Amino acid sequence: MKFRPCIDIHNGKVKQIVGGSLHDDGDRARENFISGQDAAFYAALYRDEGLSGGHVILLNSASSPYYEATREQAVKALAAYPGGLQLGGGVCPENAAEYLDAGASHVIVTSYVFRDGQLSWENLEKMEQAVGRERLVLDLSCRKKEGGYYIVTDRWQKFTDVPVTLETMRELGSHCDEFLIHAVDVEGKASGIEKELAEMLSGYEERPVTYAGGVGSLEDIRLLEKAGKGRLDVTVGSALDLFGGVIPFDLLKRIGNRE
């Protein structure tokens, strides 16, 4: 298990939010933490601590009046830590190269590939052609429905018909370098991980998988490591002391460079 740091940006500010509360209408979200520091500050911190493979996530839609401010923060983070961070949020073939040129090691994609509730193989092929499989992360962020986990898009607001299963991951694994999976129902709540999801993900071994959502304590991290059989990397947001939480960054950074 590796600790993967994060920088979530909403309305031009580094924030931690409750994932399921995010709405494009009015650019609203229930906020756990709003930082007085900019995104470049956190990127430089992660760089100086040698923590690679973190995620910068833009949480505004391209139509939002806050989008440019959010995007500007993201680009500053990439410039502060070239090659050390992945970027997601509104990524498509038309803008992916711009983010890679700005310093992103990978781009993270959900909504462009899972279009209108379905997996678009055509769009996945376009992303592969634009950036190469080795620089593409597929975000299979999901919510529970009808006893299973289904991928959600458009900043976690729309369900697709695509389940998160080992079969799905094996089918997609030859088209990406990594998977990022937010357990959206517990994202930002620091109330415990989705153990059932973690146990399912532990059965996949072909590509790195990063789990995000619900971590509220060091005990949750130990539970995730056990449920995930040590195969899942972890992102911690709202529970981290950097963002007003209780888990010491100084402890987590020690597992940031595990192989």
Side-chain angles (χ1 to χ4, degrees), residues 1-179:
M1 172 185 279
K2 277 179 60 174
F3 166 57
R4 303 284 197 108
C6 65
I7 304 172
D8 294 344
I9 309 169
H10 183 244
N11 295 358
K13 301 285 187 180
V14 176
K15 294 183 183 179
Q16 285 296 314
I17 67 168
V18 176
S21 72
L22 187 61
H23 295 283
D24 287 344
D25 179 23
D27 292 295
R28 296 173 291 122
R30 196 180 335 149
E31 297 163 338
N32 291 329
F33 179 83
I34 304 176
S35 179
Q37 303 286 354
D38 67 5
F41 167 86
Y42 291 98
L45 174 63
Y46 302 152
R47 179 198 67 211
D48 293 346
E49 296 293 349
L51 296 170
S52 61
H55 311 102
V56 180
I57 306 294
L58 288 73
L59 293 174
N60 291 102
S61 71
S63 62
S64 166
Y66 295 99
Y67 178 75
E68 283 305 320
T70 292
R71 182 184 165 282
E72 181 180 345
Q73 284 290 310
V75 171
K76 286 181 177 179
L78 298 178
Y81 191 5
L85 297 166
Q86 305 171 356
L87 180 135
V91 174
C92 62
E94 290 72 30
N95 63 20
E98 177 184 351
Y99 291 125
L100 295 176
D101 291 343
S105 66
H106 297 67
V107 289
I108 305 168
V109 180
T110 306
S111 298
Y112 182 79
V113 168
F114 299 95
R115 210 70 171 166
D116 300 321
Q118 304 290 329
L119 169 59
S120 171
W121 287 105
E122 178 183 357
N123 283 5
L124 179 56
E125 183 178 350
K126 288 179 181 178
M127 280 304 314
E128 274 193 277
Q129 291 175 346
V131 304
R133 180 199 64 76
E134 69 281 357
R135 302 191 77 178
L136 180 61
V137 176
L138 290 179
D139 185 343
L140 307 186
S141 292
C142 56
R143 307 183 80 160
K144 201 161 190 180
K145 182 177 73 169
E146 298 171 354
Y149 291 94
Y150 287 81
I151 295 169
V152 289
T153 65
D154 299 276
R155 291 154 302 284
W156 308 325
Q157 295 167 80
K158 297 180 181 178
F159 270 98
T160 71
D161 294 331
V162 184
V164 178
T165 61
L166 295 180
E167 181 181 1
T168 298
M169 296 176 72
R170 288 170 182 145
E171 193 172 23
L172 293 172
S174 60
H175 301 277
C176 66
D177 195 48
E178 297 185 11
F179 290 106

Side-chain angles (χ1 to χ4, degrees), residues 16 40 56 111 124 133 170 180 182-183 204 220-221 251 253:
Q16 285 296 314
V56 180
S111 298
L124 179 56
R133 180 199 64 76
R170 288 170 182 145
L180 171 63
H182 290 85
Y204 180 78
D220 286 331
I221 292 175
L251 286 179
K253 72 184 184 184

Side-chain angles (χ1 to χ4, degrees), residues 16-21 30 32 142-144 149 156 181-198 211-216 220 224 235 237-239:
Q16 285 296 314
I17 67 168
V18 176
S21 72
R30 196 180 335 149
N32 291 329
C142 56
R143 307 183 80 160
K144 201 161 190 180
Y149 291 94
W156 308 325
I181 300 180
H182 290 85
V184 177
D185 289 328
V186 295
E187 172 71 21
K189 295 182 178 179
S191 58
I193 66 165
E194 288 272 17
K195 183 182 175 185
E196 180 184 348
L197 177 61
Y211 170 94
V215 173
D220 286 331
L224 178 64
T235 291
S238 296

